Amino acid sequence: LWGVVNNAGILGFPADGELLPMSMYRQCMEVNFFGAVEVSKTFLPLLRKSRGRLVNMSSMTGGIPLPRYAAYGASKAALSMFSGVMRQELSKWGIKVAAIHPSGFRTGWCLTLWRSGG
């Protein structure tokens, strides 16, 4: 195995952090952070053999606080920190770790969300 890309992620619904139910915080953490950690840990033995690469798709919201994205931003901040720690710890095995922080993109999904005011 030469590489693992953790790309799964959910936004939930944008709302003031005070109004978001705890279930939304838990769901974002479960998918965006714990899911990536579990997949990474599962495949690290194979990456170690190939001196492969681990790539985590994070988000700019993990480092820049944006209103209405408390749950999503917190989960992506956790993923970014995990990536940084793994980069240091796995370098001795020749494993490269990257966290990608894409910006916003205008896709059909984003336009629908934007037009609906959400």
Side-chain angles (χ1 to χ4, degrees):
L1 181 67
W2 292 99
V4 171
V5 178
N6 286 307
N7 191 39
I10 60 165
L11 174 62
F13 54 89
D16 289 351
E18 173 185 13
L19 302 176
L20 281 174
M22 286 304 297
S23 61
M24 184 55 57
Y25 285 94
R26 286 186 180 94
Q27 187 179 25
C28 280
M29 289 300 289
E30 189 63 43
V31 173
N32 300 347
F33 175 65
F34 290 119
V37 171
E38 190 165 344
V39 168
S40 299
K41 288 175 60 68
T42 298
F43 291 104
L44 278 175
L46 294 174
L47 289 177
R48 196 172 280 113
K49 286 181 183 178
S50 67
R51 299 172 63 90
R53 190 172 297 250
L54 174 64
V55 178
N56 292 316
M57 296 302 291
S58 187
S59 171
M60 65 176 214
T61 61
I64 301 170
L66 295 175
R68 304 178 73 203
Y69 291 93
Y72 180 77
S75 68
K76 292 301 188 170
L79 181 59
S80 294
M81 183 59 69
F82 172 74
S83 300
V85 170
M86 291 292 98
R87 183 178 305 110
Q88 293 175 11
E89 293 179 356
L90 298 175
S91 66
K92 66 185 169 204
W93 298 97
I95 299 173
K96 303 248 191 279
V97 179
I100 308 298
H101 299 93
S103 180
F105 294 94
R106 288 208 169 212
T107 64
W109 176 83
C110 289
L111 287 175
T112 301
L113 187 63
W114 176 71
R115 286 184 185 133
S116 71

